[in-house]
Amino acid sequence: MKNSVSSRLTERTAAEVARTIYEPPMQGFDAPALERMCALNEAHAVMLAGCGLIPADCARDLLRGVATIRAEGPGAIDLDPQFEDSYFAFENRLGQIAGRGVAGWLHVGRSRNDIGATLDRMAVRETCLALLAEMEATRRACLEAAGRHVLTVMPGYTHLQPAQPITFGYYLANVAQGMEREHERLAAVLDRADACPLGSAALAGTSFPIDRDETAALLGFARPAVPGLDAVASRDFVTELLWAVTSAQVLFSRVAQDLYTFTTWEFGALSFPDRVAGTSSIMPQKKNMLPLEYFRAEAGRSIGALAGALSAVKGSNYSIGLDSVREGLADAWPAFARFRAALPLLRLILETATPDAEKLLQRCKANFSTATDLADGLVRDFGISFRDAHHVVGRAVQRVLATGGGAEDLTVEVLNAAAEDEIGRRFDLPEERLRRWMDPVEAVRARTVPGGTAPEVVTAMLARMEARLSADASAREARTAALAEAASRLAGRVAALRD
């Protein structure tokens, strides 16, 4: 039986080939994919007519056929894998409507290669804009939560050991800063993907005098993608987006791990409403923070997708091939969809996280997290080097711990005994001043340098991040509006030729 696509092949595609290679991607030809295909074909037909490469009546019939297919929806297209991909299935349906002779004119000056590359860039463009919008909403939720907890003092940790007092608002401000960078990475992908491969044909361009600038503009691209081989053979905009998504997932996983630890019975420092938790089928007391576990798992899945994609592409030739432009990237698209779906869940987590402020403050008072402030005070008031002060305070902490005491047991007498051991001197230090140096609230307030924990510094940081968020949202909205304007121009050109 004749091959469904080419007369060069004398046999029908083997069922095993069709089922394994062609069928899976064709099953994903949904309404958004159909709309991208229709817009691409309309832009190409309008350009061909404008360049005098097809007659006006041919352009009219092609555009009417595309309009019919759009109205019918993807269900009307025969997605038989014998057609190899959705483009040929679309062309088959167009031929049924407009006639095969007419439909064949639409392929002047292009190839399946540049069609596929253009569709992928259109899909990444839509994905980027959707992810940017979700990221902006999530950044806003994080900033709002940070603002609510600027005064909620808690231990800051290094190596998961108490380090210095911070606030929960300060912690979340740092998370928001990380999100801002992840947003930048996503936006950078959008900029680099904003070039139109259509007209590159198979790899070397075309001998027809087409207007690639016109096609790019009608589809809302900033420019044509050149040169042609790179335009059709490279999908690094997909792997770059997958890297950006994976980077964000890693950030979210680390934050989730912190919050997960804080919610354990042993820490007992953070709680969530019951609606943000799961339970056990056998242990009636259980409240499991499944959403936080989800983010740890998602980072792993995204890393796997990225590693798989890069591993597939790295072995391909620098030309068109399934491993470099389709099969190797198959896991990227589900990763994008999962990331988009996860962002509202992260917002819920940020909106409902409730720290135990009293418990956290008491822990700061008991766990020696103000030891650095004590050393700083000795440097300022008694003129010793920080290294000497570090040794003195470290010896004082060791003395208290050796007797089973806590931070409240570090007195002036204990400090002076340690100072005599370490540097051979004592300090004329009032107990009240020692207690002030060891007050976590005072420690937080004292850090007024840029990036510090003082409430006024954190508030200023949040204001700057709010301004950046507003600017980012405005830039995204402008890009979205520009695409809508391009679509409107295309619709007008189509109507003028079709009607």
Side-chain angles (χ1 to χ4, degrees):
M1 185 179 295
K2 183 179 177 183
N3 185 274
S4 299
V5 175
S6 172
S7 297
R8 165 63 179 83
L9 303 180
T10 59
E11 296 179 317
R12 181 179 173 84
T13 302
E16 294 86 349
V17 174
R19 182 173 58 249
T20 305
I21 297 177
Y22 300 139
E23 184 174 3
M26 291 180 73
Q27 298 311 306
F29 191 70
D30 54 12
L34 174 63
E35 180 52 40
R36 288 190 289 270
M37 184 76 78
C38 288
L40 181 149
N41 283 310
E42 287 173 335
H44 191 67
V46 167
M47 181 276 296
L48 290 177
C51 292
L53 295 172
I54 61 173
D57 59 345
C58 180
R60 180 198 62 212
D61 293 343
L62 287 171
L63 294 172
R64 287 178 177 176
V66 172
T68 299
I69 294 174
R70 178 185 279 117
E72 291 176 336
I77 296 176
D78 181 5
L79 294 174
D80 185 344
Q82 287 292 327
F83 288 123
E84 295 190 3
D85 61 35
S86 55
Y87 166 70
F88 281 122
F90 184 98
E91 187 181 83
N92 177 67
R93 180 59 184 146
L94 184 60
Q96 292 172 347
I97 296 169
R100 290 186 59 190
V102 172
W105 280 100
L106 191 54
H107 212 54
V108 168
R110 68 180 190 178
S111 161
R112 176 172 32 171
N113 294 357
D114 59 342
I115 292 172
T118 303
L119 292 172
D120 282 349
R121 287 183 184 250
M122 293 169 74
V124 161
R125 187 172 62 185
E126 292 172 14
T127 300
C128 280
L129 288 169
L131 294 182
L132 288 171
E134 291 289 353
M135 278 289 286
E136 287 154 18
T138 307
R139 286 165 62 189
R140 185 167 291 105
C142 190
L143 291 172
E144 290 173 353
R148 292 194 296 272
H149 295 290
V150 168
L151 301 178
T152 305
V153 177
M154 64 175 284
Y157 294 88
T158 61
H159 306 280
L160 204 56
Q161 298 295 333
Q164 291 179 291
I166 60 172
T167 66
F168 192 49
Y170 177 78
Y171 174 84
L172 292 176
N174 284 265
V175 174
Q177 183 62 63
M179 289 185 188
E180 186 177 294
R181 288 195 304 277
E182 303 302 348
H183 188 282
E184 287 179 14
R185 294 185 178 100
L186 292 170
V189 178
L190 179 59
D191 289 337
R192 279 189 276 277
D194 198 15
C196 183
L198 201 60
S200 299
L203 78 165
T206 175
S207 60
F208 290 100
I210 61 174
D211 187 345
R212 295 196 61 202
D213 289 310
E214 171 76 353
T215 308
L218 288 172
L219 292 175
F221 285 101
R223 59 198 179 278
V226 294
L229 171 58
D230 180 68
V232 301
S234 297
R235 296 294 191 278
D236 50 1
F237 53 91
V238 178
T239 53
E240 186 180 9
L241 180 57
L242 185 52
W243 153 246
V245 164
T246 302
S247 179
Q249 291 280 34
V250 168
L251 169 65
F252 299 160
S253 177
R254 297 180 72 192
V255 173
Q257 177 59 22
D258 279 350
L259 302 184
Y260 191 79
T261 301
F262 297 159
T263 61
T264 60
W265 186 88
E266 288 77 9
F267 267 74
L270 191 69
S271 63
F272 289 89
D274 288 352
R275 69 180 185 278
V276 192
T279 187
S280 166
S281 67
I282 185 173
M283 296 168 283
Q285 84 283 7
K286 293 298 295 295
K287 180 176 179 178
N288 300 326
M289 288 311 302
L290 304 183
L292 299 176
E293 296 173 348
Y294 175 85
F295 280 100
R296 295 187 310 187
E298 271 305 298
R301 294 182 72 182
S302 194
I303 290 169
L306 177 61
L310 294 176
S311 297
V313 174
K314 67 92 181 170
S316 65
N317 296 320
Y318 192 44
S319 60
I320 203 82
L322 284 184
D323 44 356
S324 60
V325 305
R326 195 176 79 189
E327 295 301 319
L329 306 176
D331 292 336
W333 306 101
F336 301 153
R338 291 196 307 272
F339 181 66
R340 182 179 181 183
L343 287 168
L345 176 60
L346 182 57
R347 292 200 291 276
L348 176 66
I349 289 169
L350 293 168
E351 290 163 356
T352 58
T354 304
D356 188 330
E358 183 177 350
K359 180 181 289 188
L360 289 169
L361 179 59
Q362 290 305 314
R363 284 183 177 170
C364 283
K365 291 179 178 179
N367 63 16
F368 298 99
S369 64
T370 55
T372 301
D373 296 84
L374 176 51
D376 289 347
L378 294 177
V379 171
R380 281 193 303 267
D381 287 15
F382 295 97
I384 65 174
S385 75
F386 181 80
R387 190 54 57 212
D388 282 346
H390 187 279
H391 287 317
V392 169
V393 175
R395 175 62 67 91
V397 170
Q398 190 276 332
R399 282 174 171 268
V400 172
L401 292 175
T403 62
E408 70 278 3
D409 299 309
L410 201 166
T411 62
V412 170
E413 185 56 38
V414 171
L415 183 68
N416 277 326
E420 286 184 333
D421 289 345
E422 289 292 328
I423 59 175
R425 64 169 290 185
R426 297 174 67 87
F427 305 113
D428 184 13
L429 174 63
E431 193 73 35
E432 179 275 332
R433 192 186 310 171
L434 174 66
R435 299 269 70 86
R436 187 172 71 251
W437 287 347
M438 297 186 68
D439 183 349
V441 175
E442 291 298 323
V444 165
R445 290 175 178 168
R447 284 161 171 76
T448 58
V449 297
T453 57
E456 65 272 21
V457 175
V458 176
T459 299
M461 286 191 290
L462 295 177
R464 182 204 62 77
M465 285 188 273
E466 286 278 5
R468 175 61 186 273
L469 175 57
S470 296
D472 287 342
S474 295
R476 174 189 52 78
E477 290 165 359
R479 298 289 285 272
T480 302
L483 285 179
E485 183 180 349
S488 179
R489 288 197 304 270
L490 175 59
R493 297 284 299 278
V494 167
L497 285 169
R498 185 188 62 205
D499 303 331

